Amino acid sequence: AVVSTQSGHYGRGTEPGKGFLKYSDGKNSYIDVSMAHCGFIDTPVIVSSLHGSSSHWTTTGGSAIYTPTRDSFRTYLYHSSGSYALAVSKAWSIQYIAVGYVC
């Protein structure tokens, strides 16, 4: 019999200023965050936060999780003057904690 245990994955996030893609409006952004290395057998519970050197406090979306799977999730970022350029220039990153089952 296979016994699953609940496990948490902490502290590993995206590389600052990297991986952000332009949203369809051309100025805001989104990022796909990989958790494939965690080994979850089902979609975990995920809590995320936007980190950076500046201006991330004026941005929305850093804690909103979209399309979660056992291997990844997506976060959309909105800033009134556009988040894409800020994400890169201010070294933003998405940090997360995920808790779920692993074999």
Side-chain angles (χ1 to χ4, degrees), residues 36-70:
H37 58 281
C38 298
F40 292 116
I41 59 173
D42 203 356
T43 304
V45 174
I46 306 162
V47 177
S48 70
S49 178
L50 177 62
H51 290 227
S53 66
S54 179
S55 302
H56 52 293
W57 70 276
T58 62
T59 303
T60 59
S63 62
I65 306 296
Y66 288 85
T67 60
T69 69
R70 68 183 187 177

Side-chain angles (χ1 to χ4, degrees), residues 19-31 76 83-85:
F20 293 93
L21 301 170
K22 286 186 180 178
Y23 187 66
S24 60
D25 67 0
K27 64 180 192 172
N28 282 293
S29 60
Y30 65 94
I31 188 167
Y76 294 90
S83 67
Y84 180 76

